[in-house]
Amino acid sequence: MSVNSLLLRILGRRAFVSFGLVTFLVSALLATVNLTSRYALKEYVEDQLSRIPWDLAIYQRAGITGRDKLPGVVRKIDGVTKVESLVFLRARFPEGGEVLTEVDGKALTAPWMCLLAASDTSILPPQLALALERQKAGQEDGAVLALIGPERAMGGAFLALQGSTDFSVRVKMQKENKLLFRSPLRGVIRLDRDELNRWLMDQTGSVSYVPYIGVVLLMPDRPDVIARFDSVATGIVPLDVMGSGDNADRGHLQLAEYEPEVVYLGKLNREQLISGWDIPASLDRVAEVTNNIGLQANAMATRASNSDEPQLVLVHDPKDPTGREKSPGAFGQFVVDSTTEVLLGRMENIARLVGVLSLLVALPLLWMAWVLGANLTGLLMLNERRTLGLMRLRGISGKAMGRALQVAIVSGGAVGGVLGLVFGSVVPLLAYERGKLPLDVLTQGSQMALYGGFLVISVILALFVSRGLVKYAMTISPLEASRRVAESETANMKLSFGVLQALALILGSYVLFGWTFDFSVSGYTGNNVVRNIDRLLDFVGLPLFLYGLATMIASRRERIQRVMMPIVGPIGGRLSRFAIRHISVKPHRAMAFLLIVALMSGVSLYPTITSPSFSDKAVRGAQVQLGTDWQILYNAPDLTDVTNLRGDAGGQLRALTPEIERLVTSLKGVPGVRNVTWMVESVLPSFYLPGYGLKGVPMYLLGSSDRYMEDVYYEPEVGMTADFAHIMSRVRSGDTASSLPVSEFWRLSETTPVLLGMDAERRAISLPSAGTLAFLPGIPPRSVTDRQGYVQARVDYLNHLFSSNAYLVAGADNDEIAKLQLLIPRVIMLVSTDGTQDSAAFQQALTRASPYPPLELHDLEHEISKVGTDMFIALALANMKIYLVGGLLLALIAILAIAMANHAEDRRTLALLRIRGASPRDLWRFVVATLLSPALVGLVLGTFAAVLAGFGLANYVWKLREIRTVVQLLPTHLVVSSLTGGVLLLLVILLIGVASMFSWYVYRRTAHESVRSA
């Protein structure tokens, strides 16, 4: 047998096993974190997909020809499961009266006449669905007439049309008015154009042109009505309307200003096309279906027009989902848009980075593995010291011994790394797929490349931390091997807090406190390079902070003694002073203990703080948005005769109040209802604000300010110029509050007079300003479902709507308001419940109990569901279990390695203490104190860092949200859940258990045997 083989057998066995264990743990953790990150991405994609009601939309903007054929063509395409259509026809008929709009036989004049119909009424605003639910069985499907425009243009019509039952459009031909179509009316409502666009954005992912002033007929899909409206708008009277005896030359009308739009909404077979495990392939499959739809639509349009010109354009390139809009213009008749494709495009970019993210997310665990490897190296040095010295006495060169150790470390690292990759991939996948093992998830080319990278990283880590052992083997002399304490170990006892450690502490503090207090260098500079550095620091900030802080504590003997004496004193007993001196003599050991436990506790605890803090803010935002658990909107003219809703506010409120009280009584009778308060939405006809001239500025009148403040959920921060309660106390005393756009334009400050309008005698009415509100809890929701499928232009539009939301607030019992001329279109009931009811059943109970038909119902559960999850938090929560299990395992092995290294050094000291008469109890307390005190200090540091990181990260993630909502107005609260307490208790039990069990390890030999072996 060769010398090298003998050296491998003698020196390589322990090195092979030790570093094989290190690389097994490192590669297993990297593979598990990678697979868990992919699983988190898969779950996140599925959550985002659940927020998208329709996967794609085909826009037809050059007429409605073929609208009856295209859905059938699209349904036949493999991968498409459902196709519905939404028709939005907008026509401005020329003056002269050729096309007449009538309600109950009376002429209705409006600049724009619009028809909004859908084959699936869930696509339309909820007012129509609720109206259709109320119609009796066997009745003809009706429609809802929505008026869009300011009070001066539509206020009178809104009141006059209440109670109308019939809508019709007629065509004037010669001296006869011929019926174009008619529809029963199930209600007349006011509709804000921004609210309609929000609804369309939520359903289709896009907005549409909505006229500033006009009427919109909301109705189910009626092909005959749609075809006739389109025909007349393009200047042709349908033949069946003309009759067989009419002159065909009379069948032409003057062309209208016409904006037709048909949207075909499609759902894809997501189970067949989309797999969260493979986002790029899913995107390719969805893009292929989208292209097939384009080809079929193009072929149909080409056949119809006998033209070879393209008739379709993709709004978003599947491989470039950046949100850059492509105008259809001269491209043709159809425009295809896929929200799902945009989502998958964004997720593909993240999927490409999952490997890098896995490394970044696993950095704390890699750091723990580094500490483990370093201490295993020290333990091997202590255990192999005499063997190395004897070999040097026998004439074996240091190079040969170093080479043998390197071979053992590399081979052990490779074997352990491969086994770790297999274990870290197969076991989690079996758990996630509930016993199934889809090998294609693990054998993708990019995944195999990542595994190769993880293996290289694991082996390099083992080689790097073993440098000290190899160097020690190559340079040790027989004299040094015979000494009780090696010179190299004495050198390692020196620990300093230098520039690198100070830089680590500064950078870590910058990250954690930057998250908490919302500041960053990139935010001030705007430089992309600095921004990328900030993003990198987001991942390494926590371990850097802990390393710098642990080094600072352990670098000076006096500091170690001050920090650890409160723990060592009660535990160490009579030997406590000796124990604290013993710890301070070896600061590198205390540092290792402290850092490993701090990292373990930090990475295990911070996700348990981030998640509930993030969710708490989302729930609070939804509560502020809705005000109470339920919000019910009523059409004001349904509550009283329309003649009572003219004139000053006082007269209108006196007519409405008895009916509102009746509503309150009825709703309170529903089991589970605790309280009901109300407000009315009014429109100020004479209040000027840029951008609101064509729709009017609303003023919300509180039924009872005291009851409102008692029943409605609010937070002080929704008041901008002062605390919300202070502003509302001024409203209660007779002032008026306003939103930010109103205050900014009129430059309002507290007590500044606000000119609201005029009374019946044309005298100006003003009220002092109570302050500026960031948001008024309880106003109708203006939120959309948060999802990643919105391109940037649409995100900007939604943010514009949120930031430009203008309104005023006053009390309904205000004497000055009673004189004001205004329009009251809606009544808002705010219902507080005990929270024990099923949402669907409770909605039906509220509807049945209500004496008047509601326009809309909103509940807190639904508003909370609109708030999107966050990708980073999804990753953190998914990896928390890995942190907990992997971190505990690494920490446990590292603690044992450090403890065994300490014991190897301290065997003679412990034996001498036993000979000098120290009782077993005293020695047990001494060992426990030396092990547990740095561990508990590390636990405190890790918990402190976890609280900072958890709270700061939750606060930071909300700042990154694209769509601005009321949630961003609220502060983040620190929420510590029961899970945090459970994990912390588990860590404490683990540390105490390991310290206690190892303390009895010193008694496996007698004092005489310990002295001889030391």
Side-chain angles (χ1 to χ4, degrees):
M1 185 177 291
S2 66
V3 175
N4 289 333
S5 299
L6 285 172
L7 287 175
L8 278 175
R9 288 186 60 186
I10 298 171
L11 294 178
R13 187 177 302 167
R14 287 180 176 176
F16 182 92
V17 173
S18 298
F19 288 98
L21 174 63
V22 171
T23 55
F24 173 85
L25 291 174
V26 171
S27 58
L29 285 172
L30 286 174
T32 304
V33 168
N34 173 257
L35 198 69
T36 302
S37 299
R38 291 181 63 193
Y39 179 73
L41 182 62
K42 171 180 176 290
E43 293 287 296
Y44 183 73
V45 169
E46 291 175 355
D47 172 76
Q48 291 293 305
L49 286 172
S50 69
R51 298 169 179 272
I52 299 175
W54 302 95
D55 294 297
L56 58 90
I58 307 171
Y59 295 91
Q60 182 177 349
R61 290 176 175 165
I64 67 170
T65 304
R67 62 173 294 272
D68 55 335
K69 298 178 182 178
L70 186 62
V73 172
V74 175
R75 287 190 190 99
K76 293 179 182 178
I77 296 174
D78 185 37
V80 179
T81 59
K82 184 178 181 181
V83 179
E84 300 291 346
S85 62
L86 176 69
V87 181
F88 195 10
L89 308 180
R90 296 144 295 196
R92 185 168 187 168
F93 293 105
E95 297 181 4
E98 285 185 307
V99 179
L100 306 174
T101 304
E102 296 180 349
V103 176
D104 287 347
K106 298 179 181 179
L108 173 63
T109 303
W112 284 86
M113 168 60 196
C114 308
L115 182 67
L116 182 57
S119 56
D120 184 349
T121 55
S122 66
I123 306 171
L124 296 174
Q127 294 91 332
L128 177 62
L130 288 171
L132 294 180
E133 287 178 5
R134 295 194 298 269
Q135 67 186 19
K136 298 178 182 178
Q139 280 187 323
E140 181 184 357
D141 283 344
V144 173
L145 185 63
L147 309 182
I148 299 175
E151 189 275 340
R152 66 174 181 272
M154 286 296 178
F158 171 70
L159 297 176
L161 295 176
Q162 296 302 319
S164 301
T165 59
D166 182 79
F167 179 89
S168 61
V169 176
R170 296 181 180 274
V171 179
K172 188 175 181 180
M173 297 187 62
Q174 297 181 352
K175 296 182 180 180
E176 184 181 0
N177 295 337
K178 293 201 172 185
L179 179 67
L180 186 68
F181 69 85
R182 65 169 297 278
S183 173
L185 281 182
R186 305 302 179 201
V188 179
I189 62 172
R190 285 188 86 251
L191 189 62
D192 185 271
R193 64 190 303 271
D194 291 340
E195 288 184 14
L196 180 56
N197 262 329
R198 277 195 192 90
W199 180 261
L200 292 173
M201 179 80 80
D202 222 8
Q203 293 296 309
T204 69
S206 181
V207 296
S208 184
Y209 169 68
V210 181
Y212 283 95
I213 302 176
V215 296
V216 181
L217 191 66
L218 306 172
M219 63 187 304
D221 186 67
R222 289 180 56 183
D224 58 326
V225 171
I226 294 169
R228 290 186 174 193
F229 187 96
D230 176 74
S231 178
V232 170
T234 53
I236 300 174
V237 181
L239 290 176
D240 55 345
V241 173
M242 290 176 56
S244 57
D246 289 326
N247 188 343
D249 293 336
R250 300 291 185 180
H252 294 277
L253 303 172
Q254 188 176 351
L255 288 176
E257 185 178 341
Y258 187 38
E259 295 292 340
E261 181 178 8
V262 183
V263 185
Y264 306 95
L265 301 171
K267 288 188 177 182
L268 302 179
N269 188 338
R270 293 176 178 175
E271 292 184 0
Q272 172 188 337
L273 299 175
I274 301 174
S275 170
W277 289 114
D278 194 353
I279 303 298
S282 300
L283 176 60
D284 290 339
R285 288 190 291 267
V286 171
E288 183 181 359
V289 173
T290 304
N291 288 330
N292 289 338
I293 291 172
L295 292 174
Q296 292 297 326
N298 181 37
M300 189 192 77
T302 302
R303 287 194 300 270
S305 61
N306 294 321
S307 171
D308 293 331
E309 294 181 1
Q311 299 292 317
L312 181 136
V313 59
L314 295 179
V315 175
H316 308 292
D317 190 319
K319 296 301 181 182
D320 185 24
T322 58
R324 291 191 290 268
E325 298 281 359
K326 298 182 179 69
S327 173
F331 282 96
Q333 182 179 8
F334 295 100
V335 177
V336 176
D337 185 12
S338 176
T339 306
T340 299
E341 205 168 299
V342 175
L343 168 66
L344 292 176
R346 290 186 173 185
M347 293 300 103
E348 184 192 31
N349 294 333
I350 297 176
R352 292 196 192 105
L353 299 175
V354 162
V356 179
L357 286 174
S358 300
L359 285 174
L360 293 175
V361 169
L363 275 176
L365 297 179
L366 289 176
W367 207 314
M368 293 172 68
W370 179 284
V371 176
L372 167 62
N375 283 279
L376 284 175
T377 299
L379 184 60
L380 284 173
M381 289 166 61
L382 291 170
N383 288 328
E384 300 290 350
R385 186 177 62 197
R386 291 189 177 181
T387 302
L388 294 171
L390 289 172
M391 287 186 173
R392 293 303 302 273
L393 282 174
R394 298 290 298 271
I396 298 175
S397 69
K399 288 185 177 181
M401 291 191 295
R403 190 163 48 248
L405 285 174
Q406 284 181 331
V407 170
I409 291 168
V410 171
S411 57
V415 172
V418 171
L419 292 176
L421 289 174
V422 173
F423 180 84
S425 301
V426 172
V427 174
L429 187 59
L430 286 172
Y432 292 141
E433 293 296 315
R434 300 181 180 180
K436 298 179 181 178
L437 188 62
L439 292 177
D440 58 312
V441 174
L442 303 178
T443 56
Q444 298 168 12
S446 58
Q447 191 66 25
M448 297 302 294
L450 273 177
Y451 286 155
F454 292 161
L455 181 60
V456 170
I457 289 172
S458 302
V459 174
I460 289 176
L461 178 67
L463 283 172
F464 207 83
V465 297
S466 65
R467 288 181 310 161
L469 174 62
V470 175
K471 182 179 179 182
Y472 184 71
M474 294 175 65
T475 59
I476 190 172
S477 65
L479 180 61
E480 183 180 357
S482 66
R483 290 172 178 167
R484 188 166 63 88
V485 178
E487 292 179 0
S488 57
E489 177 66 17
T490 304
N492 285 336
M493 290 180 183
K494 298 177 182 179
L495 183 68
S496 62
F497 182 72
V499 175
L500 290 178
Q501 291 77 15
L503 183 62
L505 181 59
I506 292 171
L507 290 176
S509 301
Y510 161 73
V511 172
L512 297 187
F513 287 99
W515 288 349
T516 304
F517 299 106
D518 189 28
F519 68 85
S520 65
V521 175
S522 61
Y524 292 103
T525 63
N527 186 280
N528 287 330
V529 175
V530 178
R531 184 178 293 108
N532 291 332
I533 294 174
D534 268 344
R535 297 296 82 80
L536 177 63
L537 289 175
D538 287 339
F539 289 94
V540 299
L542 179 61
L544 285 176
F545 176 79
L546 290 174
Y547 170 70
L549 191 59
T551 310
M552 185 179 69
I553 291 174
S555 60
R556 298 188 63 180
R557 182 176 300 182
E558 299 81 3
R559 193 177 291 134
I560 294 178
Q561 292 178 352
R562 284 199 304 270
V563 171
M564 296 190 182
M565 191 61 197
I567 302 174
V568 175
I571 299 175
R574 290 193 303 164
L575 297 177
S576 59
R577 295 180 64 84
F578 178 67
I580 194 67
R581 286 198 300 270
H582 190 71
I583 292 171
S584 61
V585 166
K586 300 177 181 179
H588 66 296
R589 298 295 184 199
M591 161 69 178
F593 256 120
L594 198 153
L595 182 59
I596 198 77
V597 176
L599 286 171
M600 173 186 67
S601 55
V603 299
S604 300
L605 288 174
Y606 91 83
T608 69
I609 297 172
T610 298
S611 177
S613 299
F614 179 89
S615 301
D616 169 76
K617 190 169 182 177
V619 171
R620 288 162 43 226
Q623 288 175 319
V624 170
Q625 167 79 59
L626 209 59
T628 52
D629 301 306
W630 284 81
Q631 183 188 96
I632 311 175
L633 277 64
Y634 294 91
N635 196 28
D638 290 342
L639 274 64
T640 185
D641 191 272
V642 293
T643 58
N644 297 324
L645 296 179
R646 292 186 172 91
D648 57 53
Q652 296 183 52
L653 289 170
R654 283 192 295 273
L656 285 171
T657 300
E659 304 308 317
I660 293 176
E661 293 300 330
R662 181 185 172 198
L663 266 175
V664 170
T665 303
S666 300
L667 294 174
K668 279 186 175 180
V670 176
V673 174
R674 293 190 294 107
N675 289 307
V676 180
T677 189
W678 58 273
M679 67 172 76
V680 297
E681 181 187 65
S682 64
V683 180
L684 299 175
S686 304
F687 188 87
Y688 175 72
L689 192 70
Y692 279 78
L694 294 177
K695 57 183 177 180
V697 176
M699 170 177 268
Y700 295 98
L701 304 177
L702 308 179
S704 170
S705 299
D706 292 330
R707 178 60 62 84
Y708 175 86
M709 294 299 291
E710 291 174 5
D711 294 349
V712 170
Y713 179 86
Y714 66 89
E715 295 200 10
E717 289 75 14
V718 294
M720 296 191 68
T721 55
D723 183 279
F724 180 77
H726 172 75
I727 294 176
M728 295 309 294
S729 68
R730 293 187 59 86
V731 170
R732 184 167 54 247
S733 64
D735 295 356
T736 179
S738 57
S739 64
L740 183 60
V742 175
S743 297
E744 284 186 338
F745 177 75
W746 288 106
R747 299 180 182 179
L748 300 179
S749 57
E750 195 168 309
T751 71
T752 301
V754 183
L755 184 61
L756 301 176
M758 295 178 290
D759 62 13
E761 299 179 358
R762 311 289 293 177
R763 289 178 297 198
I765 294 179
S766 63
L767 291 176
S769 173
T772 303
L773 297 176
F775 193 83
L776 178 67
I779 62 175
R782 297 179 179 271
S783 57
V784 296
T785 302
D786 195 350
R787 57 180 184 247
Q788 291 289 328
Y790 296 123
V791 295
Q792 190 59 48
R794 295 168 186 175
V795 170
D796 293 341
Y797 173 74
L798 290 172
N799 291 338
H800 164 72
L801 293 183
F802 178 77
S803 61
S804 62
N805 187 22
Y807 52 84
L808 296 103
V809 187
D813 55 355
N814 190 306
D815 293 336
E816 292 299 309
I817 293 293
K819 306 173 187 176
L820 189 63
Q821 297 287 305
L822 46 71
L823 174 69
I824 299 180
R826 295 193 294 189
V827 175
I828 304 168
M829 307 301 295
L830 303 175
V831 181
S832 302
T833 69
D834 56 18
T836 60
Q837 292 75 24
D838 174 71
S839 179
F842 194 68
Q843 177 173 333
Q844 294 179 358
L846 291 173
T847 304
R848 287 195 302 267
S850 176
Y852 305 105
L855 281 177
E856 301 175 39
L857 290 95
H858 304 280
D859 66 285
L860 183 60
E861 181 180 341
H862 180 66
E863 288 300 313
I864 293 174
S865 70
K866 287 184 178 181
V867 181
T869 56
D870 182 79
M871 183 64 218
F872 193 90
I873 289 182
L875 281 173
L877 288 178
N879 284 309
M880 187 190 72
K881 297 176 183 178
I882 311 303
Y883 287 158
L884 191 57
V885 176
L888 287 177
L889 184 61
L890 277 175
L892 177 62
I893 297 174
I895 289 171
L896 290 175
I898 297 169
M900 292 179 70
N902 283 343
H903 178 65
E905 291 179 353
D906 297 338
R907 281 179 296 182
R908 182 182 295 269
T909 302
L910 293 173
L912 290 174
L913 286 174
R914 291 172 66 183
I915 292 173
R916 293 293 299 270
S919 67
R921 178 179 175 81
D922 290 334
L923 281 180
W924 179 82
R925 294 181 68 175
F926 170 80
V927 175
V928 170
T930 56
L931 292 176
L932 199 57
S933 55
L936 290 180
V937 171
L939 184 63
V940 171
L941 293 182
T943 303
F944 170 72
V947 171
L948 272 182
F951 171 78
L953 186 58
N955 185 59
Y956 175 67
V957 167
W958 274 115
K959 302 291 183 184
L960 298 179
R961 302 308 287 264
E962 289 184 307
I963 299 178
R964 312 305 295 175
T965 64
V966 68
V967 181
Q968 278 86 353
L969 303 174
L970 307 180
T972 305
H973 289 172
L974 175 63
V975 179
V976 179
S977 64
S978 58
L979 180 61
T980 306
V983 172
L984 187 59
L985 180 62
L986 177 63
L987 296 178
V988 172
I989 293 173
L990 172 70
L991 293 175
I992 294 176
V994 170
S996 299
M997 286 187 293
F998 191 80
S999 64
W1000 296 112
Y1001 180 75
V1002 300
Y1003 291 104
R1004 77 190 193 283
R1005 294 177 180 177
T1006 65
H1008 179 68
E1009 291 173 335
S1010 298
V1011 170
R1012 292 187 61 186
S1013 62

